[in-house]
Amino acid sequence: MWRNTPTRFGLLTRALHWTMALLIFALLALGTTLANIQPGLANLWLYGLHKTLGFIALSLCLIRLIWHFYSPPPPPIGPARALTNRLARATHTAIYLLLLALPLSGWVASAASGLDVVIFGHITLPAIAPVSAAWEDTGFALHGLLTKALMALLVAHIAGATLRGLKHDGTLRRMIHGSTSTD
Amino acid sequence: MRALILMLALASPATTATATPTSYALQPALSSVGFETDFGPDLITGRMPVTRADLTLDFANVSASHVAVTLNVQGAEASFPFAAQAMKGPKVLDSVDYPEIRFESTAVHKSGDGATVEGRVTIRGVTHNMVMQAAFWRQKGHEAGDLSHLTIRLTGAVNRSDFGATGWADMVGDQVRLDILARIERTN
């Protein structure tokens, strides 16, 4: 039930997938909002919320990667060498890399600003970068760039999953219910 | 603070008793340096302790008055924690390399009911001219004409960018308004 098999996603993988999906969309919406509002006392807490959710997303991504090391997920449905499956694997790999790099770039940039990086309102994360304008500017520029890249990849990921869903090949059903309709 | 001294010159009944330059010492526990700046639609407010204040007031000759004040940047507090950390950090006051702010008057003029204090302020190692308006009062519990204990209020503003304190310019205003309330006691 919890573990993945060669043909189905286990409950833990599916729970992580959909939890992270919600979290990432919330983070993208929140981050985009923060980039376009005038900071003030009334919305200062949103910056802390963004950091907290980002740290949770990073943690879940690491947990998911470790879990998949012990319980490998099933390969894409269909021939492994099919173009769509190769694209799917490349997209998944890129999304994982971005889910690691994106929060780390935000963490680096925030630490480089000289301010404590505080999550959950009172936990101060270690400063993982020197206090430096160059590190801060580069970190935030990278954070913005990686965000756009992630948005593009998520559009591709969702479009691919939707197409497979319309074809009823079992891919979408497998991530929702664990197994394909033919299992 | 010197400006406060000038105001004393206006108190004619009292000046007869102190017609020569008089030294005053700061009463730190009763004094504070307040500041505020814009933060979006809100204000960041805070306080900075006074490390040292040397005051010489001449009520007969206001222009002979002199004020020198040193503030402790590392002891500064702000209305919310991030503001204090940002203010003391390298992007603004850089309190590690520049732990003090200094002001020294260069001229004091009578101005209406108060005084105008011209001086030089040093922030982050950069020195610029600064003008402050001063008002003074006799402290509670002291009779008219008793200038042994005074309260001085100095107000003025600086543009932090003039001193290289440019951090978070997109979020925090450039002008920092100062409101210094100093209570002083005569030492000679």
Side-chain angles (χ1 to χ4, degrees):
Chain A
M1 179 183 177
W2 291 97
R3 296 180 67 86
N4 298 311
T5 73
T7 57
R8 59 176 291 148
F9 288 113
L11 185 58
L12 183 55
T13 290
R14 283 182 284 137
L16 284 169
H17 176 273
W18 292 111
T19 302
M20 288 181 69
L22 290 173
L23 198 54
I24 289 162
F25 279 108
L27 274 163
L28 291 174
L30 183 54
T32 303
T33 301
L34 291 177
N36 293 287
I37 62 172
Q38 183 185 40
L41 293 177
N43 55 36
L44 202 57
W45 67 279
L46 292 175
Y47 292 85
L49 178 63
H50 186 68
K51 291 170 186 173
T52 299
L53 295 181
F55 184 79
I56 293 172
L58 175 63
S59 302
L60 290 180
C61 185
L62 290 171
I63 290 170
R64 192 170 170 183
L65 288 170
I66 292 168
W67 174 243
H68 285 179
F69 179 79
Y70 288 103
S71 180
I77 293 170
R81 297 177 65 83
L83 178 62
T84 52
N85 281 348
R86 282 188 287 167
L87 283 174
R89 278 193 293 272
T91 302
H92 294 161
T93 301
I95 289 175
Y96 274 117
L97 289 174
L98 286 174
L99 290 180
L100 295 173
L102 195 49
L104 285 173
S105 65
W107 188 351
V108 164
S110 295
S113 75
L115 296 181
D116 287 341
V117 183
V118 178
I119 58 172
F120 298 109
H122 64 278
I123 299 173
T124 302
L125 298 179
I128 60 171
V131 177
S132 151
W135 279 72
E136 181 186 357
D137 293 344
T138 304
F140 279 127
L142 196 60
H143 198 62
L145 197 66
L146 296 179
T147 298
K148 291 178 176 62
L150 179 62
M151 286 177 170
L153 285 170
L154 289 178
V155 168
H157 178 65
I158 293 167
T162 303
L163 283 174
R164 285 175 179 261
L166 291 172
K167 291 178 181 175
H168 300 289
D169 76 345
T171 296
L172 194 55
R173 177 182 172 78
R174 191 169 65 167
M175 187 48 85
I176 296 172
H177 299 288
S179 63
T180 67
S181 57
T182 55
D183 281 342
Chain B
M1 293 181 163
R2 297 153 195 168
L4 299 175
I5 295 168
L6 294 176
M7 304 197 69
L8 292 172
L10 300 174
S12 55
T15 57
T16 55
T18 53
T20 57
T22 305
S23 294
Y24 282 83
L26 186 77
Q27 297 174 279
L30 302 175
S31 304
S32 65
V33 175
F35 61 85
E36 68 172 32
T37 189
D38 298 319
F39 177 51
D42 307 304
L43 288 176
I44 295 172
T45 60
R47 299 197 171 281
M48 199 172 289
V50 178
T51 304
R52 189 170 59 253
D54 301 316
L55 311 167
T56 302
L57 307 183
D58 189 332
F59 305 117
N61 179 16
V62 170
S63 62
S65 299
H66 180 262
V67 176
V69 179
T70 302
L71 306 181
N72 174 9
V73 177
Q74 292 180 331
E77 297 175 348
S79 46
F80 56 96
F82 279 138
Q85 191 176 31
M87 178 180 64
K88 290 187 275 189
K91 293 170 65 174
V92 186
L93 294 179
D94 195 1
S95 65
V96 173
D97 289 335
Y98 304 100
E100 294 182 339
I101 289 176
R102 292 192 304 278
F103 175 84
E104 183 165 8
S105 67
T106 54
V108 182
H109 311 282
K110 181 179 174 184
S111 175
D113 291 337
T116 299
V117 181
E118 298 175 10
R120 304 277 285 167
V121 62
T122 302
I123 301 172
R124 284 178 63 108
V126 179
T127 302
H128 282 293
N129 294 329
M130 181 182 184
V131 177
M132 303 194 83
Q133 299 303 314
F136 78 95
W137 302 270
R138 192 178 63 251
Q139 288 187 18
K140 283 183 180 177
H142 295 272
E143 297 180 357
D146 178 4
L147 302 181
S148 63
H149 290 76
L150 301 173
T151 298
I152 299 175
R153 186 184 185 198
L154 286 167
T155 55
V158 294
N159 291 326
R160 63 191 180 99
S161 60
D162 292 342
F163 302 88
T166 54
W168 291 281
D170 55 335
M171 299 181 182
V172 180
D174 187 33
Q175 187 188 64
V176 179
R177 297 171 290 277
L178 301 172
D179 190 342
I180 301 171
L181 193 68
R183 292 189 172 84
I184 58 176
E185 59 185 350
R186 193 167 54 209
T187 58
N188 63 2

